[in-house]
Amino acid sequence: MAGSEEVNLIESKTVVPLNTWVLISNFKLAYNLLRRPDGTFNRHLAEFLDRKVPANANPVNGVFSFDVIIDRQTNLLSRVYRPANAGPPPSITDLQNPVDGEIVPVIVFFHGGSFAHSSANSAIYDTLCRRLVGLCGAVVVSVNYRRAPENRYPCAYDDGWAVLNWVNSSSWLKSKKDSKVHIFLAGDSSGGNIVHNVALRAVESGINVLGNILLNPMFGGTERTESEKRLDGKYFVTVRDRDWYWRAFLPEGEDREHPACSPFGTRSKSLEGLSFPKSLVVVAGLDLIQDWQLKYAEGLKKAGQDVKLLYLEQATIGFYLLPNNNHFHTVMDEIAAFVNAECQ
Amino acid sequence: MKRSHQETSVEEEAPSIEGSGCGGGDDNMDELLAVLGYKVRSSDMADVAQKLEQLEMVLSNDIGSSNNALNDTVHYNPSDLSGWAHSMLSELNYYPDLDPTRICDLRPIQDDDECCSSSNSNKRIRLGAWCDSVSSDSTRSVVLIEETGVRLVQALVACAEAVQHENLSLADALVKRVGTLAASQAGAMGKVATYFAEALARRIYRIHPSSAAIDPSFEEILQMNFYDSCPYLKFAHFTANQAILEAVTTSRGVHVIDLGLNQGMQWPALMQALALRPGGPPSFRLTGVGTLSNRDGIQELGWKLAQLAHAIGVEFEFSGLTTERLSDLEPDMFETRPDSETLVVNSVFELHPVLSQPGSIEKLLATVKAVKPSIVTVVEQEANHNGAVFLDRFNEALHYYSSLFDSLEDGVVIPSQDRVMSEIYLGRQILNVVAAEGIDRIERHETLSQWRKRMGSAGFDPVNLGSDAFKQASLLLALSGGGDGYRVEENDGSLMLAWQTKPLIAASAWKLAAELRR
């Protein structure tokens, strides 16, 4: 119905700056072209449209980056971002010099894209990771995990787990204070979901993760929540597209009660008594899946876990992609505080 | 002067923006979006937003059929958001403020459609080559594959540094050390290091390799082997051919000037594609440029291609041109038939050697311009191996060839003998980059952003390669039997072949700048 579509478009335009609106609308349009009704995905067109940037061992704004093949079998790649020292750019042999500091946080980052879109070398995520380096004085390792629908659950989690292990055992990432790697997990959208699930594995295997950062994490469930009904189609996202991505990610035949989708639903294991990392959960007030995200934060709290919820009433999805709004700065400050709390 | 175009107004054609100046092309560009890979002028933002809204409304009105309408759309240059949105609107026959009789065809509109009258046609602003800090010449893209071999790389770099500082006795000691370490290093790194060590040794002892030293028939074998065993040349030929095919869809005659005929491996596939054209093939004339020593080979090749053409029903003509230097070519050496033929100039890895003599590239490009081609296809290595400082070239080349050798290592189907031949082929390039100087240093690779500036200065505008070429190149790579690590990347209208995330080859297409086409 053209009438209500028009209203939706105008509404979303009033809550974000124009260039943000153009950026996210562009993604929305492109993504609509890529999802096919039969559940397949136009991967070639997706890769053609995605704006990518190479790694750069020459520092730009105090950050340099390089790519590492973590696992040749699966072609698992990660992009490592490091703060640059004063002086000449690092040579190829300097790239994995030991980190310099009593405590140097290492953030393992999982980009968003609803499990199907984007890569570690997507421009939007390269930019975000670079910011995190300066913000937190951290090394950031961005995981180029395998995506749906070609690679369903649990591939993305397996890849995250592989990189976590690699990070944990990399001697050059160890902080001087205790000769250990100080690890945080961070991610947006599907990346937030991966954070939770990789943290679960870490807990079960005794790898110490110091904190989880979830930006607009992607969770769901079979019921239609109030926020999904109220905000469907209003701010760039529809329930229909959310359903498509879950169908693409979850094992065939599964529904959204699957614990990967619904971590505090009817089929999930309790977190009570586990030494789960402290969590920072950021929820955008105009994100239609917020009820699931709020349920997640509640679930953590009820299980006796340390969770800080940051609810940004007027924020839409993707607000953290451009530094042109207050929410962006609020969240960046919170993330910095969250990571640096460990460094006292 | 740059102005944004509104659909409603009839305006004169804006002068094309040369790719040479960084500042000029960036006026008013939204910086935040530019960092994310999108070129949108702040002054155009509202217009782009409107186009996106219109697209949203048109597509949502009838989800089933509209999605089908865009299923076969070929997309071009996603960085140019305005152009991209506009193309899709045209494809959907949606022109809210335009006289629809002005639009001649349903293909995505590129600048200056020949079929529309020049003053009334719908012109979009050409944003030209994009200068930005992210993909500037100072980007060093590194993919680490092995954590072992660090000592080896350290020794190599230290040796190169000693050479740079003309501390030859130290360099000598280090190069021997490299040799020892390389011998015990398995895999791609060991092989690459061996070639670099040899090159360094030659430099230290001043045994500069001459570029003319090799036997042409051996050269031929190496190149054919390289062609067969890994996808680089196939990608180069394939993407160039895609651009050519797109430029000649309605031509009745096609004339290709190939600046480096070599074994002519690019042309059978193009001829077959032409033969299959609905409505029948155009006539195909090939002028192949080669070196004097290869004169007999050229004629024989022409004859073989003629046989193929005959077998597939394509009217064919061949002439061979020999020259020692491409910059010696003059426009009158080429017989052009502008009334009956679309002229194509093709260069696959032939431009960078011309940089070894000052002034030569400008002369060559002027000659190319003078024959008035409809399209110029250029494929070059994506690397800056032509910097003034030896050490910088060395480091760049080390990254580049490490990636290349690693990609060969990964190939499932390459028999080891063929891989050795490919490595020799590449090893000769390494020798030249590191040990040669002056006229003899012909492997003067430059990056796409550097070539864009040169082509822009020489009076050429970019022609975008689209999503269909991208897709088919990707499929070709998947079938080439190489490893999983190959990627095709779109870069502001050009296509690059990357190993993992490191771009290695860039393919671009060009036409005469607007004011020269009249």
Side-chain angles (χ1 to χ4, degrees), chain A residues 99 101-104 173-180 182:
Chain A
V99 294
E102 281 301 299
I103 298 184
V104 179
L173 287 174
K174 291 183 173 158
S175 293
K176 287 191 166 55
K177 176 175 170 188
D178 52 6
S179 281
K180 293 204 173 94
H182 286 228

Side-chain angles (χ1 to χ4, degrees), chain A residues 219-229 239 242-243 246 255-258 261-262 264-266 288-293 295:
Chain A
F219 294 118
T222 41
E223 84 176 88
R224 296 301 189 202
T225 59
E226 187 273 338
S227 67
E228 283 167 307
K229 293 183 219 171
V239 169
R242 295 296 98 202
D243 288 353
W246 285 120
D255 65 18
R256 292 188 299 274
E257 281 311 304
H258 190 286
C261 176
S262 186
F264 289 100
T266 53
L288 62 86
I289 58 168
Q290 63 189 268
D291 284 353
W292 294 114
Q293 297 160 339
K295 184 171 174 179

Side-chain angles (χ1 to χ4, degrees), chain A residues 9-328:
Chain A
L9 293 168
I10 293 168
E11 264 190 70
S12 61
K13 253 176 152 181
T14 60
V15 295
V16 291
L18 189 57
N19 52 4
T20 302
W21 191 91
V22 163
L23 179 72
I24 302 183
S25 300
N26 154 65
F27 288 147
K28 177 181 168 186
L29 174 65
Y31 293 179
N32 281 341
L33 298 175
L34 302 173
R35 295 190 302 269
R36 298 197 191 104
D38 65 357
T40 59
F41 189 76
N42 191 339
R43 182 60 64 191
H44 287 126
L45 185 58
E47 293 303 297
F48 177 81
L49 294 175
D50 189 25
R51 305 291 79 202
K52 297 186 198 286
V53 294
N56 192 354
N58 290 334
V60 175
N61 294 335
V63 179
F64 69 91
S65 64
F66 58 94
D67 291 336
V68 187
I69 310 289
I70 309 280
D71 182 348
R72 286 205 91 136
Q73 305 284 61
T74 53
N75 247 342
L76 176 59
L77 189 134
S78 290
R79 179 161 291 181
V80 178
Y81 301 83
R82 296 187 64 168
N85 293 329
S91 81
I92 192 171
T93 51
D94 295 334
L95 295 176
Q96 292 183 323
N97 279 353
V99 294
D100 187 26
E102 281 301 299
I103 298 184
V104 179
V106 180
I107 302 176
V108 180
F109 180 81
F110 301 96
H111 67 80
S114 308
F115 293 108
H117 299 281
S118 294
S119 307
N121 60 347
S122 295
I124 46 173
Y125 289 113
D126 186 86
T127 304
L128 180 57
C129 287
R130 283 171 168 274
R131 284 196 222 285
L132 291 177
V133 172
L135 194 67
C136 305
V139 172
V140 177
V141 180
S142 181
V143 182
N144 198 45
Y145 58 88
R146 281 169 293 169
R147 297 162 301 186
E150 299 95 322
N151 299 287
R152 293 173 178 270
Y153 165 96
C155 293
Y157 302 162
D158 291 344
D159 291 349
W161 177 236
V163 177
L164 177 60
N165 274 287
W166 179 82
V167 164
N168 193 46
S169 53
S170 290
S171 51
W172 59 282
L173 287 174
K174 291 183 173 158
S175 293
K176 287 191 166 55
K177 176 175 170 188
D178 52 6
S179 281
K180 293 204 173 94
V181 188
H182 286 228
I183 302 174
F184 290 81
L185 302 178
D188 72 310
S189 166
S190 50
N193 178 300
I194 299 172
V195 165
H196 171 79
N197 285 282
V198 171
L200 274 181
R201 291 199 198 183
V203 164
E204 283 159 18
S205 325
I207 291 191
N208 188 21
V209 172
L210 296 171
N212 289 348
I213 299 163
L214 292 79
L215 291 176
N216 301 8
M218 185 171 160
F219 294 118
T222 41
E223 84 176 88
R224 296 301 189 202
T225 59
E226 187 273 338
S227 67
E228 283 167 307
K229 293 183 219 171
R230 175 169 51 91
L231 295 170
D232 189 5
K234 290 207 161 57
Y235 297 99
F236 310 110
V237 186
T238 63
V239 169
R240 192 173 164 157
D241 69 58
R242 295 296 98 202
D243 288 353
W244 191 97
Y245 292 113
W246 285 120
R247 257 199 312 278
F249 174 69
L250 295 170
E252 308 222 32
E254 284 283 2
D255 65 18
R256 292 188 299 274
E257 281 311 304
H258 190 286
C261 176
S262 186
F264 289 100
T266 53
R267 290 165 54 184
S268 49
K269 284 193 305 197
S270 168
L271 289 187
E272 253 176 275
L274 296 180
S275 60
F276 197 71
K278 64 170 185 172
S279 299
L280 172 65
V281 182
V282 178
V283 179
L286 300 177
D287 186 344
L288 62 86
I289 58 168
Q290 63 189 268
D291 284 353
W292 294 114
Q293 297 160 339
L294 293 169
K295 184 171 174 179
Y296 175 78
E298 260 307 296
L300 285 178
K301 206 162 129 193
K302 284 203 189 112
Q305 303 299 342
D306 180 352
V307 55
K308 174 160 188 186
L309 171 65
L310 184 61
Y311 185 82
L312 303 165
E313 219 173 275
Q314 283 293 94
T316 62
I317 55 152
F319 71 87
Y320 45 82
L321 296 177
L322 290 177
N324 58 3
N325 59 87
N326 287 335
H327 312 303
F328 173 91

Side-chain angles (χ1 to χ4, degrees), chain B residues 40-97:
Chain B
V40 184
R41 289 210 167 74
S42 304
S43 48
D44 286 344
M45 195 69 65
D47 180 61
V48 173
Q50 190 187 39
K51 287 196 177 85
L52 292 175
E53 276 179 305
Q54 287 164 349
L55 271 168
E56 168 94 32
M57 281 199 277
V58 171
L59 288 172
S60 67
N61 272 343
D62 193 342
I63 296 224
S65 71
S66 288
N67 268 347
N68 285 338
L70 284 182
N71 266 350
D72 297 324
T73 302
V74 178
H75 298 263
Y76 294 89
N77 202 346
S79 287
D80 174 12
L81 265 186
S82 177
W84 182 61
H86 180 94
S87 300
M88 284 190 284
L89 284 170
S90 318
E91 192 90 358
L92 296 169
N93 284 319
Y94 183 82
Y95 311 106
D97 296 314

Side-chain angles (χ1 to χ4, degrees), chain B residues 424-443:
Chain B
I424 294 174
Y425 179 84
L426 294 172
R428 291 185 55 242
Q429 291 182 8
I430 293 171
L431 267 181
N432 192 272
V433 174
V434 174
E437 281 302 345
I439 296 181
D440 288 333
R441 181 158 61 88
I442 57 166
E443 299 296 351

